[in-house]
């Protein structure tokens, strides 16, 4: 699902000792693209499954569009997070301000670790939720309840206890309507036989709960990240926001 990327976690463009320590264009693009996608996922998730839940239940075509956009941006965040981590390992980030207190540095590193963890775990749990249904055409799919329900990512919690037609479950049309999203085979195979349908459903609901808790945690991290950046910018009078801005004359790749 979801948050502004850490300002001390990507490559920098700087001249040592000049006080002009900034991230490169690659780092800046990754930062803002991922931040935008996570913010969209948080907003869309709360809108579709909480704030306007009844509306989307009554308008399945819009629900389908919403879930496709939600999963597409989430999987894109997962892919870009891998790129960010690789970029971070190959490039040194800008140094903290010399007058930053030790506890602030430790807190920043810990918050950045949580952000990276959330950027990976939220899409993975969403993918697992979509995978927690019996494979189409399997014996388990013939007796499983319909996956059309109101919970996040096609939860079966309140679905009618009737077999789905032909044992088929509704699948999103793919990432950005282009790339098919495969199921996570070990999770899908739990419900392949009728005896595994109930345990798989329990796992599905646990994953939904973890995904929802993760969304609130990501929202809290988002607020803390923004508050920390504004604190350094306004109270400490450090050029914190400028480090993640565009300035063609000084930036490099």
């Amino acid at each position: 699902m979801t948050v502004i990327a850490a300002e001390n976690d990507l490559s920098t463009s700087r001249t040592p000792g000049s006080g002009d320590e900034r991230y490169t264009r690659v780092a800046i693009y990754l930062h803002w693209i991922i931040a935008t996608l996570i913010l969209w996922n948080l907003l869309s998730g709360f809108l579709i499954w909480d704030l306007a839940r009844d509306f989307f239940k009554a308008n399945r075509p819009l629900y389908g569009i919403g879930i496709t956009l939600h999963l597409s941006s989430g999987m894109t965040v997962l892919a870009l997070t891998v790129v960010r981590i690789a970029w971070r390992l190959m490039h040194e980030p800008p140094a903290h301000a010399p007058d930053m207190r030790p506890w602030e540095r430790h807190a920043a590193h810990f918050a950045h670790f949580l952000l990276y963890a959330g950027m990976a775990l939220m899409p993975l749990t969403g993918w697992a939720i979509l995978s927690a249904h019996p494979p189409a055409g399997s014996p388990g799919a013939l007796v499983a309840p319909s996956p059309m329900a109101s919970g996040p990512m096609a939860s079966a919690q309140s679905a009618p206890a009737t077999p789905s037609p032909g044992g088929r479950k509704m699948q999103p049309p793919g990432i950005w309507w282009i790339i098919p999203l495969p199921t996570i085979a070990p999770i899908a195979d739990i419900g392949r036989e009728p005896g595994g349908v109930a345990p798989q459903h329990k796992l599905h609901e646990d994953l939904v709960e973890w995904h929802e808790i993760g969304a609130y945690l990501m929202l809290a991290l988002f607020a803390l990240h923004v508050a920390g950046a504004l604190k350094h910018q306004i109270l400490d009078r450090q050029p914190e926001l400028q480090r993640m801005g565009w300035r063609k004359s000084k930036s490099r790749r």
Side-chain angles (χ1 to χ4, degrees), residues 111-135:
H112 299 157
F113 169 78
L114 293 179
L115 283 169
Y116 274 112
M119 287 156 53
L121 291 176
M122 287 297 289
L124 287 174
T125 54
W127 189 6
I129 290 169
L130 287 172
S131 301
H133 298 285

Side-chain angles (χ1 to χ4, degrees), residues 37-75:
L37 291 174
I38 292 177
L39 184 58
W40 155 256
N41 263 28
L42 288 172
L43 294 176
S44 65
F46 288 126
L47 180 66
I48 295 171
W49 293 294
D50 290 298
L51 299 178
R53 180 174 179 172
D54 292 338
F55 172 81
F56 282 97
K57 283 176 63 177
N59 295 272
R60 284 299 176 178
L62 292 179
Y63 174 82
I65 294 173
I67 192 174
T68 301
L69 290 174
H70 187 83
L71 77 88
S72 297
S73 58
M75 298 308 294

Side-chain angles (χ1 to χ4, degrees), residues 71-140:
L71 77 88
S72 297
S73 58
M75 298 308 294
T76 303
V77 167
L78 180 61
L80 292 180
T81 297
V82 174
V83 175
R84 287 193 59 194
I85 293 174
W87 187 265
R88 170 63 182 87
L89 293 175
M90 295 185 295
H91 299 80
E92 182 184 1
H96 291 289
D99 58 346
M100 180 177 285
R101 300 176 182 88
W103 72 265
E104 288 182 310
R105 296 182 183 179
H106 293 312
H109 287 306
F110 183 61
H112 299 157
F113 169 78
L114 293 179
L115 283 169
Y116 274 112
M119 287 156 53
L121 291 176
M122 287 297 289
L124 287 174
T125 54
W127 189 6
I129 290 169
L130 287 172
S131 301
H133 298 285
S138 66

Side-chain angles (χ1 to χ4, degrees), residues 2-6 31-32 35-36 38-39 84 115 119 222 225-226:
T2 89
V3 180
I4 305 296
H31 174 278
W32 290 111
T36 301
I38 292 177
L39 184 58
R84 287 193 59 194
L115 283 169
M119 287 156 53
F222 170 83
H225 180 75
V226 173

